[in-house]
């Protein structure tokens, strides 16, 4: 037997030796490559464990696999797929292909933290040999499916960085769309990957094959010839291609080491299984990529000599599931040409009709139909004859290509259909264009030495004849051809195959009566006033909006705010489109509440956490989870973060969120939580300490300093009641010496609020600025500071209106016009808080009708600058207003006792003289009257 097998490819070896001597100066180098390829094929063919080489998503491989499985009926199927994915394969019957088997890890132990989350996917389509093997093994009694490739953990153990396994995308491929992003950033497991790694070789094949990209070359020169080939011819040709690409691959040490370690890993697992179960190698089938089938490692074969030590997995906990996939996602992830997987799917369906081969499909598989008549026609299993070891390569390589006759009806149907699709998408296409596409397809096929136009020839012809200067719609002609020839089929994971979290979401949203697994956008209307059970649906939707990508759950009407109860809401839901994101949530927990709580904690305790982000987490915990326990825990965490911050970058956001939380707790709780009281006191001391530095720091913006002052002034009453000292704020303001004009105006406003600067002094300073020609160009910057001062001192709104009016009246146009964009930007940035104050104050000051404008005098001009507009006070008659005190002395007695004063009341008639103190010292009363009279 050995003598016979050694001479199987003797004739082919002789021909290759002659060719090597004729084509090269010396036969050594080329002869070594060519004869080495034959040796690889011979070695794989003679292996007792039958090796079935495949190509990724190849219709020819799938057809050959279906034929061989029905002939051989193996009892054990070894498959090149991550061994830890085996338990999830049974759920494929609950899905509509294409889907991807996924291994996912959010928390790592043994890998760099920046790699997270870790994700490995293996897409599966019906037109693939892997699916045929899986369906046969799972639905045939007595057949065992064994996954022998490295585990998902070893995928990252053997990589230098995530993403090394993914091929670069094809340069001709269109920009990734929604369907192309279904796999996310996952690392793809290349089941049956077969593509030259030698750039010069691929360029040579494409140039001499008259094709544009590798997918077209494979379709023309491999798929079509092997579509009707017998098993031995198919196997030897695939082994030949795999060996050729392997021997001409560049010597990337890292990638070569990974490839060889994978092969050692798989043969070690298979030998261990054969020894442990006592399986006869003749009853098994090894399905792997043609690249790995032509392996030259010592561990190759059932009787391999080498031993390979498999390292233990890391402590990372992996989750496994199924996610939806699509043809476009497979093409983008594995660097295939756009539309190649869709064309392969249509070629698979055509091969099944032509050859009448019954493929294997999982029982209950969604999206497939198995006719009862076809099921009865399946012959009974008979022992397969031993594989023929004869040389099939010589005849295949010397045989001229079979020229398929032109199928005019098929091509004519394509031409008519593409014109119809172009019209629907806005192109001005006509019957003449259909004729032009038909004739151009034949012409291009002839130029490329093909008798029958391929789908790629037809696509080029359609683009040439129909494409105009611009694309009128969303899709161009190339994309329309891809849709027409099969489209971008998108898979779906069935309800039973979803993780518990995803099933719980679907169950809780059942009252909406929507088909949530359906792709596309659906409108949900929630009227909680009439159906109280919809409140729970609203809670779920708001949590999904927080957890899922934008567009999965988008509110159209309604909002979730602290202290408010929703009445009616309207949502746009696309959970079917974002099914992958929902499934990956299931890897993080069993309910969305658990996942949201974990993410909020991760945000609050992360290394990049700031006080603003932690306060946002507190607000989210209150809004979405209604968890006082979690809110208090995160609130205490915000105190820790605030104490460690040395910058004021997040001051505006901190102020906004603290105000909102304070307003919520004051209206919904009997007492304030302890953490927020501590936050107010800590923040008061913290910002008082940083205030002088922030005024002088050029990196601190005016808005940030204004937010600090807003925190100090708005929280002052609560802070003082909790034991803070106001002198700390006064000292901080006194120690502040800004140089920037905007910050200077902000400091003036703060001093006015503290009573250290009067309105008259503030007006005088502004008038002095306008009167100084050297300062006039910088005056708009002072006004910007006054605008920001409305945040901490909203009582200055009338003065800001006055100052802006003076600026518009007195500033020259070269100074005023460049300042207007700054004014608009300032109002837009803080428009929610500042603009209403200015508008309300301006509406109070300015006349309401245009006719009154001519006779209108601004209030600040109507008042004399030197005279006091208040009426003179008659101090002599001031004592007459004290009759009420004399009639009810209890209040004065209580105040006197509190102050420790001892005295007696005079008689009623002279009691009026008790106002002599006010007459002698009228300043206090005058100041109080001026304060109350100030608008």
């Amino acid at each position: 037997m050995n003598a016979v097998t050694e001479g199987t490819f003797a004739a082919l070896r002789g021909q290759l030796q002659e060719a090597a001597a004729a084509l090269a100066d010396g036969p050594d180098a080329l002869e070594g490559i060519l004869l080495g390829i034959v040796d690889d094929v011979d070695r794989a063919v003679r292996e007792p464990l039958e090796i079935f080489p495949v190509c990724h998503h190849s219709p020819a491989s799938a057809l050959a696999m279906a034929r061989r499985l029905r002939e051989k009926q193996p009892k054990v199927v070894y498959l090149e797929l991550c061994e830890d994915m085996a338990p999830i394969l049974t759920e494929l019957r609950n899905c509509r292909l294409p889907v991807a088997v996924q291994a996912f890890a959010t928390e790592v132990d043994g890998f760099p933290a920046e790699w997270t989350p870790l994700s490995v996917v293996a897409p599966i389509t019906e037109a693939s040999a892997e699916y045929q093997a899986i369906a046969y093994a799972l639905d045939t009694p007595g057949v065992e499916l064994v996954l022998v490739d490295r585990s998902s953990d070893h995928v990252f153990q053997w990589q230098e960085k995530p993403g090394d396994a993914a091929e670069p995308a094809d340069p001709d491929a269109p920009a990734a769309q929604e369907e192309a992003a279904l796999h996310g950033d996952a690392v793809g497991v290349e089941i049956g990957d077969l593509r030259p790694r030698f750039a010069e070789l691929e360029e040579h094949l494409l140039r001499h094959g008259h094709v544009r990209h590798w997918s077209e070359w494979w379709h023309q020169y491999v798929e079509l010839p092997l579509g009707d080939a017998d098993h031995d011819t198919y196997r030897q040709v695939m082994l030949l291609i795999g060996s050729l690409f392997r021997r001409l691959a560049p010597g990337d040490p890292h990638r070569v080491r990974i490839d060889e370690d994978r092969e050692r890993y798989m043969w070690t697992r298979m030998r261990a299984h054969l020894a442990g179960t006592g399986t006869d190698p003749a009853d098994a089938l090894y399905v792997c990529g043609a690249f790995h089938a032509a392996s030259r490692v010592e561990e190759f074969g059932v009787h391999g000599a080498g031993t390979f030590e498999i390292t233990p997995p890391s402590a990372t906990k992996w989750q496994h599931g199924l996610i939806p996939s699509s043809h476009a996602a497979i093409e983008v992830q594995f660097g295939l040409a756009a539309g190649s997987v869709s064309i392969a799917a249509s070629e698979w369906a055509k091969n099944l009709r032509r050859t009448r081969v019954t493929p294997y499909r999982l029982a209950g598989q969604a999206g497939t139909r198995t006719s009862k008549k076809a099921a009865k026609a399946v012959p009974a299993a008979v022992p397969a004859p031993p594989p023929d070891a004869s040389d099939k390569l010589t005849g295949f390589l010397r045989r001229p290509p079979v020229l398929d006759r032109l199928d005019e009806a098929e091509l004519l149907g394509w031409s008519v259909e593409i014109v119809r699709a172009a019209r629907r998408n806005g192109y001005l296409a006509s019957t003449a264009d259909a004729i032009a596409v038909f004739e151009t397809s034949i012409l291009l096929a002839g130029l490329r030495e093909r008798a029958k136009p391929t789908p790629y020839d037809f696509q080029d012809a359609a683009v040439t004849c129909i494409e105009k200067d611009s694309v009128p719609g969303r899709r161009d002609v190339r994309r329309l051809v891809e849709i027409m020839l099969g489209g971008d089929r998108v898979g779906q994971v069935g309800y039973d195959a979803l993780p518990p979290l995803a099933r719980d979401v679907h169950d809780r949203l059942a009252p909406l009566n929507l088909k949530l697994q359906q792709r596309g956008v659906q409108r949900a209307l929630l009227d909680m006033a009439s159906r109280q059970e919809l409140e729970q649906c609203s809670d779920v939707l708001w949590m999904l909006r927080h957890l899922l990508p934008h567009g999965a759950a988008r509110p159209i009407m309604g909002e979730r705010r602290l202290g408010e109860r929703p009445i009616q809401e309207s949502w746009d839901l696309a959970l079917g489109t974002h099914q992958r994101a929902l499934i990956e949530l299931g890897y993080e927990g069993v309910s969305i509440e658990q996942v949201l709580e974990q993410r909020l904690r991760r945000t609050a305790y992360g290394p990049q956490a700031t006080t603003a982000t932690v306060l946002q987490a507190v607000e989210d915990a209150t809004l979405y989870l209604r968890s006082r326990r979690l809110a208090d825990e995160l609130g205490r965490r915000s105190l820790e973060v605030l104490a460690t911050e040395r910058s004021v970058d997040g001051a505006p956001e901190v102020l906004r969120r603290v105000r909102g939380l304070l307003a919520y707790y004051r209206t919904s709780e009997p007492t304030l939580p302890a953490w927020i009281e501590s936050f107010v006191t800590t923040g008061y001391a913290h910002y008082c300490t940083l205030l002088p530095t922030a005024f002088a720091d050029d990196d601190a913006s005016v808005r940030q300093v204004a937010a600090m002052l807003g925190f100090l002034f708005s929280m002052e009453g609560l802070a003082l009641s909790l034991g803070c000292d106001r002198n700390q704020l006064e000292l901080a303001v006194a120690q502040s010496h800004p140089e920037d004009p905007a910050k200077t105006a902000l400091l003036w406003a703060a001093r006015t609020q503290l009573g250290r600067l009067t309105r008259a002094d503030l007006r005088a300073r502004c008038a002095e600025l306008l009167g100084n020609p050297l300062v006039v160009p910088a005056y708009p910057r002072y006004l910007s500071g006054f605008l920001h001062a409305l945040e901490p001192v909203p009582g200055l709104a009338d003065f800001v209106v006055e100052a802006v009016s003076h600026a518009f009246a007195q500033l020259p146009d070269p100074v005023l016009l460049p300042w207007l964009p700054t004014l608009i930007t300032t109002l837009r940035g803080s428009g929610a808080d500042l603009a209403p104050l200015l508008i309300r104050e301006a509406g109070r000051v300015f006349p309401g009708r245009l006719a009154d404008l001519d006779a209108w005098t601004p209030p600040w001009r109507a008042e004399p600058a030197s005279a006091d507009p208040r009426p003179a006070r008659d101090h002599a008659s001031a004592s007459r207003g004290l009759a009420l005190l004399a009639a009810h002395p209890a209040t004065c007695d209580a105040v006197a006792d509190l102050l420790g004063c001892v005295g007696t009341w005079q008689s009623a008639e002279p009691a009026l003289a008790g106002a002599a103190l006010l007459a002698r010292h009228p300043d206090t009363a005058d100041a109080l009257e001026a304060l109350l009279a100030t608008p």
Side-chain angles (χ1 to χ4, degrees), residues 287-298:
V287 182
C288 67
F291 189 88
H292 297 295
S295 175
R296 301 190 303 273
V297 297
E298 295 181 357

Side-chain angles (χ1 to χ4, degrees), residues 505-523:
V505 168
H506 284 277
D507 294 340
R508 294 168 67 177
L509 295 180
L512 298 179
N513 297 321
L514 297 177
K515 297 179 180 178
L516 298 177
Q517 287 192 308
Q518 180 178 331
R519 292 183 59 83
V521 179
Q522 303 179 70
R523 178 64 56 89

Side-chain angles (χ1 to χ4, degrees), residues 429-729:
S430 63
T431 305
D433 293 315
I435 298 174
V437 171
F438 180 86
E439 297 294 342
T440 307
S441 301
I442 299 175
L443 176 62
L444 288 177
L447 292 175
R448 295 166 179 174
E449 300 179 0
R450 294 196 277 265
K452 178 182 178 180
T454 65
Y456 298 98
D457 297 328
F458 172 75
Q459 187 180 55
D460 292 342
V463 172
T464 302
C465 299
I466 300 178
E467 192 71 80
K468 309 302 180 185
D469 295 336
S470 61
V471 179
R474 192 164 57 95
R475 301 183 178 97
D476 57 6
V477 175
R478 188 178 300 278
R479 179 63 180 151
L480 293 177
V481 174
E482 294 173 9
I483 295 174
M484 188 194 73
L485 294 178
D488 183 18
R489 189 172 303 170
V490 180
Q492 183 184 79
V493 180
Y495 175 85
D496 295 330
L498 292 173
L501 180 144
R503 293 200 300 268
D504 179 63
V505 168
H506 284 277
D507 294 340
R508 294 168 67 177
L509 295 180
L512 298 179
N513 297 321
L514 297 177
K515 297 179 180 178
L516 298 177
Q517 287 192 308
Q518 180 178 331
R519 292 183 59 83
V521 179
Q522 303 179 70
R523 178 64 56 89
L525 302 177
L526 285 73
D527 186 4
M528 278 76 74
S530 59
R531 297 179 58 188
Q532 295 184 356
E533 66 273 14
L534 294 180
E535 289 188 11
Q536 297 180 356
C537 296
S538 174
D539 295 338
V540 173
L541 292 176
W542 282 108
M543 284 186 282
L544 290 178
R545 178 180 180 268
H546 188 275
L547 295 172
L548 294 181
H550 177 73
R554 186 167 62 93
I556 303 301
M557 180 187 69
E559 59 181 348
R560 180 64 63 95
R561 300 177 63 181
L562 290 173
E564 296 184 1
R565 180 183 176 185
I567 300 176
Q568 288 184 336
E569 292 177 353
S570 175
W571 290 79
D572 275 352
L573 302 180
L575 297 184
T577 304
H578 296 82
Q579 192 179 46
R580 177 186 66 86
L582 181 60
I583 291 173
E584 290 182 350
L585 285 182
Y587 301 148
E588 302 182 41
V590 296
S591 66
I592 52 178
E593 287 84 359
Q594 179 186 1
V595 174
L596 181 56
E597 182 173 341
Q598 291 175 354
R599 291 197 178 182
L600 292 178
R601 279 201 175 93
R602 192 180 305 127
T603 301
Y605 290 92
Q608 305 298 326
T610 62
T611 306
T613 57
V614 179
L615 289 177
Q616 181 180 0
V618 175
E619 185 176 343
D620 292 340
T622 305
L623 274 178
Y624 305 126
L625 297 177
R626 297 187 176 92
S627 175
R628 177 66 181 272
R629 170 190 54 81
L630 180 61
D632 291 346
E633 177 187 343
L634 299 180
R636 291 189 293 269
R637 170 61 181 170
S638 67
L639 286 173
E640 301 173 3
V641 178
L642 178 65
T644 60
E645 284 188 346
R646 292 297 177 265
S647 67
V648 296
D649 295 341
E653 188 69 12
V654 170
L655 174 63
R656 185 177 69 85
R657 296 199 178 277
V658 168
R659 280 178 173 174
L661 290 171
L662 270 175
Y664 168 73
Y665 286 126
R666 281 170 171 167
T667 56
S668 61
E669 301 285 345
T671 59
L672 292 177
W675 74 266
I676 202 167
E677 292 183 348
S678 300
F679 189 92
V680 171
T681 57
T682 304
Y684 189 86
H686 179 74
Y687 285 131
C688 283
T689 304
L690 295 180
L691 189 61
T693 306
F695 265 114
D697 189 3
D698 293 337
D699 294 334
S701 65
V702 182
R703 181 168 179 263
Q704 293 169 354
V705 179
M708 294 174 61
L709 290 173
F711 184 95
L712 294 172
F713 289 146
S714 61
M715 307 291 170
E716 184 179 14
L718 179 58
L720 295 180
S721 67
L722 295 175
C724 293
D725 189 359
R726 193 171 194 265
N727 292 330
Q728 189 175 6
L729 175 58

Side-chain angles (χ1 to χ4, degrees), residues 714-767:
S714 61
M715 307 291 170
E716 184 179 14
L718 179 58
L720 295 180
S721 67
L722 295 175
C724 293
D725 189 359
R726 193 171 194 265
N727 292 330
Q728 189 175 6
L729 175 58
E730 294 180 350
L731 289 175
V733 173
Q735 294 173 357
S736 301
H737 303 288
E739 297 181 358
D740 182 71
K743 291 183 180 180
T744 301
L746 192 60
L747 179 62
W748 293 347
R751 295 181 61 187
T752 303
Q753 178 70 13
L754 293 175
R756 302 298 180 183
L757 194 67
T758 63
R759 290 289 188 94
D761 294 336
L762 200 58
R763 288 189 178 94
R765 294 190 179 189
C766 292

Side-chain angles (χ1 to χ4, degrees), residues 219-264:
H219 176 271
Q220 179 65 25
Y221 295 101
V222 180
E223 285 292 335
L224 297 181
L226 290 182
D228 296 324
D230 59 90
H231 171 64
D232 294 317
T233 302
Y234 165 82
R235 196 156 72 113
Q236 293 178 21
V237 171
M238 292 294 288
L239 290 170
L240 173 71
I241 297 174
S243 177
L244 174 65
F245 292 167
R246 189 184 189 95
R247 288 184 176 271
L248 294 182
D252 182 2
H254 177 64
R255 185 161 187 178
V256 170
R257 179 180 60 82
I258 290 180
D259 290 333
E260 293 181 348
D261 285 348
R262 289 180 66 184
E263 293 154 6
R264 296 186 180 99

Side-chain angles (χ1 to χ4, degrees), residues 365 372 884:
Q365 181 77 64
K372 298 181 180 180
L884 185 63

